[in-house]
């Protein structure tokens, strides 16, 4: 068939992951389905494939043909068909002539000036980076402007319009802000990143582990406990990985701590007692922010393991290896992944190399001991 899209096929365990360039989507399918898609994409006719299936499975030719056409309709048309990207432009957007708040953040000797139209815009970004605030200066390396106009939050970076988002899309704005920031502080363009994962990254100074878990499972609390016990927080909630070396890079945002974790963490972090609280209505949670005790925001380290972590009362410590396919299906939906084919191939190879575990715990000391063992 004639199809301009680029497709990748990656067998992992007993399934195949298929990547479609047209909408940068990863789909897990049975190996037999992947084989049919691969043949159709390479130009082999429906008749030839149907004849082969009919003979192999001893089914009527018409049934095999109909099945192939249904697969083709689903995967090569509809939502997997070629999409025309929407161009971003700032036509008609009036930038403010002045801003109520201007903050300067010092990260890796790089100064970023961020101007917020009002306290409303500032609260979307500033709390996670307040620990990086430096003295106002006429000299800065990069300039960010954030303002709400016509019910959309707008982002400009170095005078260039990036995008605008409605209130219900504010988490996309925060993710894009962080993506622009990570490019500046590590001096890497977006095309040089493999992906950004909704996870926490912990290091022992030599390598890193990604911790994942649904909201409320204790991911950030576990990260804070590990930090208090000799590990470094490379990143929380926003974990960038590069395409060149598939290494996890540091991101300097603070760790978000919920109210129900305070009793556990106050003995290690007394500063949380008086820390400001923020009501994140879009995420339905109230948090305080804990600065990462990271001595080097330039750090980047290889990653060998992904751990799905969960705090569960009276569970003690339960550790098990989990299916890579299950881990993949939990990791990808909340992640930003590069739409570039070469990067998608690197991502699939990198993911295949990871060890995948599930840790459920109620005993903090045992959890910390197990993580030491995983770094081993």
């Amino acid at each position: 068939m004639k199809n301009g899209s680029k497709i990748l096929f990656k067998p992992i365990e007993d399934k195949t992951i298929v990547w479609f360039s047209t909408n940068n989507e990863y789909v897990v399918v049975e190996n037999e389905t992947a084989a049919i898609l691969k043949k159709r994409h390479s130009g082999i006719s429906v008749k030839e494939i149907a004849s082969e299936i009919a003979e192999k499975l001893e089914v009527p030719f018409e049934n095999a043909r109909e099945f192939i056409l249904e697969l083709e309709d689903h995967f090569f048309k509809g939502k997997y068909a070629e999409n025309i990207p929407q161009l971003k432009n700032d036509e008609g957007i009036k930038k403010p002539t002045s801003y109520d708040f201007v903050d300067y953040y010092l990260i890796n000797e790089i100064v970023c000036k961020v101007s917020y139209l009002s306290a409303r815009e500032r609260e979307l970004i500033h709390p996670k980076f307040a620990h990086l605030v430096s003295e106002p200066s006429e000299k800065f390396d990069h300039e960010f402007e954030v303002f709400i106009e016509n019910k959309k939050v707008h982002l400009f970076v170095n005078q260039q319009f990036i995008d605008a988002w409605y209130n219900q899309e504010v988490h996309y704005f925060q993710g894009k802000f962080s993506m622009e920031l990570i490019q500046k502080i590590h001096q890497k363009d977006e095309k040089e990143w493999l992906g950004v994962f909704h996870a926490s990254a912990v290091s022992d100074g030599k390598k890193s582990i990604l911790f994942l878990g649904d909201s409320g499972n204790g991911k950030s609390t576990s990260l804070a406990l590990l930090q208090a016990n000799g590990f470094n927080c490379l990143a929380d909630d926003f974990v960038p990985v590069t395409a060149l070396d598939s290494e996890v890079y540091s991101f300097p945002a603070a760790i978000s701590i919920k109210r129900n974790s305070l009793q556990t963490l106050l003995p290690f972090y007394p500063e949380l007692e008086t820390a400001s609280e923020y009501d994140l209505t879009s995420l339905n949670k109230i948090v305080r922010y804990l600065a990462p005790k990271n001595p080097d925001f330039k750090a980047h380290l290889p990653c060998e393991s992904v751990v799905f972590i969960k705090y569960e009362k009276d569970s003690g410590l339960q550790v098990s290896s989990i299916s890579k396919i299950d881990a993949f299906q939990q990791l990808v939906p909340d992640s930003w992944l590069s739409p570039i084919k070469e990067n998608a191939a690197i991502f699939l190879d990198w993911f295949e190399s990871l060890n995948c575990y599930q840790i459920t715990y109620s005993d903090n000391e045992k959890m910390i001991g197990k993580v030491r063992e995983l770094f081993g």
Side-chain angles (χ1 to χ4, degrees):
M1 66 179 295
K2 293 182 179 180
N3 192 307
S5 65
K6 299 169 186 174
I7 300 179
L8 294 173
F9 297 86
K10 182 69 176 181
I12 293 183
E13 295 176 336
D14 60 344
K15 298 283 194 293
T16 297
I17 299 172
V18 186
W19 174 77
F20 296 88
S21 68
T22 51
N23 58 357
N24 191 25
E25 185 157 350
Y26 293 82
V27 183
V28 176
V29 300
E30 299 295 333
N31 292 332
E32 294 80 3
T33 300
I36 294 170
L37 294 175
K38 199 169 188 178
K39 288 174 182 177
R40 281 298 291 133
H41 189 255
S42 66
I44 298 175
S45 70
V46 172
K47 181 179 179 181
E48 189 174 342
I49 301 170
S51 298
E52 182 182 320
I53 292 174
E55 182 179 345
K56 181 179 179 181
L57 301 181
E58 298 181 349
V59 297
F61 171 83
E62 278 304 317
N63 289 5
R65 180 177 177 277
E66 186 175 335
F67 176 68
I68 295 165
L69 292 175
E70 286 176 359
L71 286 180
E72 189 169 295
D73 282 345
H74 181 71
F75 288 105
F76 295 133
K77 299 175 184 177
K79 71 172 185 174
Y80 297 99
E82 192 72 42
N83 293 320
I84 300 173
Q86 297 296 313
L87 297 176
K88 309 284 192 303
N89 69 77
D90 58 354
E91 187 177 338
I93 298 173
K94 294 181 180 178
K95 285 208 300 181
T97 55
S98 64
Y99 292 89
D100 287 353
F101 296 92
V102 179
D103 290 303
Y104 295 79
Y105 304 97
L106 177 62
I107 314 164
N108 295 353
E109 293 84 47
I110 292 174
V111 177
C112 293
K113 175 185 176 183
V114 185
S115 302
Y116 307 100
L117 181 60
S118 70
R120 182 181 173 190
E121 287 91 343
R122 190 174 188 249
E123 194 164 292
L124 297 176
I125 297 296
H126 180 73
K128 295 204 80 165
F129 301 99
H131 59 287
L132 301 167
V133 166
S134 64
E135 291 297 317
S137 171
E138 292 184 3
K139 294 182 179 180
F140 52 87
D141 300 284
H142 302 284
E143 181 179 20
F144 293 68
E145 296 170 85
V146 181
F147 60 92
I148 294 174
E149 180 190 80
N150 295 328
K151 299 181 180 180
K152 281 187 174 183
V153 56
H154 294 69
L155 175 63
F156 279 74
V157 178
N158 296 334
Q159 307 300 317
Q160 180 183 352
F161 175 63
I162 302 302
D163 208 341
W165 299 262
Y166 285 107
N167 186 55
Q168 62 269 29
E169 303 170 319
V170 71
H171 56 290
Y172 291 118
F173 154 70
Q174 291 166 323
K176 188 61 176 177
F177 181 97
S178 295
M179 191 70 214
E180 291 293 326
L181 184 62
I182 205 72
Q183 292 176 68
K184 305 301 184 261
I185 63 180
H186 288 297
Q187 300 175 43
K188 293 181 182 296
D189 293 335
E190 187 171 301
K191 65 184 179 183
E192 297 178 79
W193 296 100
L194 198 66
V196 176
F197 303 97
H198 182 58
S200 298
V202 179
S203 88
D204 65 350
K206 297 178 182 177
K207 54 188 176 182
S208 64
I209 290 177
L210 292 191
F211 286 88
L212 298 101
D214 293 335
S215 180
N217 278 2
K219 182 174 80 268
S220 294
T221 306
S222 304
L223 173 61
L225 285 169
L226 290 165
Q227 178 176 256
N229 283 271
F231 295 95
N232 287 331
C233 165
L234 275 180
D236 182 41
D237 274 347
F238 185 92
V239 180
V241 177
T242 53
L244 179 63
D245 50 22
S246 300
E247 290 193 342
V248 173
Y249 273 61
S250 174
F251 186 65
I255 305 168
S256 57
I257 304 298
K258 294 179 183 175
R259 281 180 179 175
N260 58 6
S261 299
L262 290 177
Q263 186 176 354
T264 299
L265 296 177
L266 280 173
F268 304 101
Y269 304 104
E271 64 267 31
L272 284 172
E273 181 77 58
T274 55
S276 299
E277 280 195 331
Y278 296 91
D279 187 354
L280 307 182
T281 49
S282 62
L283 300 175
N284 194 29
K285 61 182 180 181
I286 296 173
V287 302
R288 303 181 189 197
Y289 288 104
L290 176 67
K293 311 296 183 185
N294 191 338
D296 181 14
F297 287 130
K298 296 177 183 176
H300 52 93
L301 296 165
C303 177
E304 295 180 359
S305 302
V306 168
V307 175
F308 290 84
I309 197 159
K310 182 179 182 180
Y311 176 86
E312 190 173 281
K313 189 178 179 182
D314 300 326
S315 62
L317 178 71
Q318 301 171 27
V319 184
S320 61
S321 295
I322 61 173
S323 155
K324 288 187 180 182
I325 289 295
D326 288 346
F328 185 88
Q329 291 177 312
Q330 292 182 69
L331 174 67
V332 166
D334 289 335
S335 303
W336 173 86
L337 295 167
S338 173
I340 299 169
K341 182 182 179 181
E342 291 75 15
N343 290 353
I346 294 168
F347 166 64
L348 289 169
D349 289 342
W350 172 72
F351 183 82
E352 186 183 27
S353 73
L354 297 176
N355 303 307
C356 301
Y357 302 99
Q358 172 78 50
I359 293 180
T360 303
Y361 76 97
S362 60
D363 187 312
N364 295 335
E365 292 301 320
K366 287 183 178 179
M367 180 273 290
I368 293 163
K370 185 62 187 179
V371 172
R372 290 192 198 283
E373 202 177 298
L374 291 179
F375 273 109

